[in-house]
Amino acid sequence: MGPMTRLAWIVVATLALTATAWAQDFEAAGKHFSAAQEAFGAKHFKIAAWEFEAAYAITKDPVLLYNVGESFEKAGDGYSAVANYKAYLKEQPLAQDKAEVQRRIKSIEGKGYKLASQSAPGDNTPAAATTTAPTWPPPVATTPATPPP
């Protein structure tokens, strides 16, 4: 086997391993996203935020930052909601819902970041999350799968 053939096999093997790891990562992200949607639907907004954050950590999809922000807003955590909404707008400066997100930020800031929690009982700890949650507090970089138009 010549040097070029060996190089070709190394490239093929590396790509195969990378593709497998990528597929596993996105499978994990999908599980976090599903768990987040389920938690959001059950009004466990803190848990939903954690799961959306875990999906974002894998995919880096900025829409998930919107979902995290909305989850924290409904959980009554104004600071985390605003931080995630701002991170969403930073990553999506041309977002179609930019005006609505800016309105939410302004509203939360106008309330001194104090929001009433809309969470159902049992949404008091991230440990209740169905999958491994990210570290807390999350790095600042919903059930809507996408933000409203």
Side-chain angles (χ1 to χ4, degrees):
M1 187 182 312
M4 291 305 285
T5 305
R6 267 186 286 218
L7 178 61
W9 278 108
I10 291 170
V11 169
V12 168
T14 301
L15 289 174
L17 291 173
T18 302
T20 301
W22 184 78
Q24 290 171 343
D25 285 348
F26 277 86
E27 181 180 337
K31 288 179 182 178
H32 286 294
F33 184 80
S34 293
Q37 287 185 307
E38 185 177 319
F40 195 98
K43 297 187 177 189
H44 290 164
F45 300 117
K46 290 178 189 175
I47 295 169
W50 273 65
E51 293 292 354
F52 282 129
E53 285 174 339
Y56 174 77
I58 296 168
T59 67
K60 303 300 184 209
D61 182 346
V63 171
L64 292 167
L65 293 172
Y66 174 90
N67 295 351
V68 173
E70 183 175 33
S71 297
F72 276 127
E73 182 177 359
K74 291 183 178 294
D77 185 343
Y79 289 106
S80 294
V82 167
N84 281 282
Y85 284 146
K86 285 182 177 181
Y88 166 69
L89 291 177
K90 182 177 179 183
E91 289 195 32
Q92 293 283 94
L94 302 176
Q96 290 181 344
D97 62 342
K98 183 177 182 175
E100 168 61 21
V101 175
Q102 288 172 327
R103 184 197 61 74
R104 285 182 179 217
I105 292 168
K106 190 171 189 170
S107 174
I108 294 167
E109 289 174 339
K111 295 174 184 176
Y113 300 90
K114 295 179 181 169
L115 304 173
S117 174
Q118 300 171 38
S119 292
D123 187 37
N124 56 357
T125 176
T130 58
T131 57
T132 305
T135 59
W136 192 257
V140 175
T142 63
T143 38
T146 59

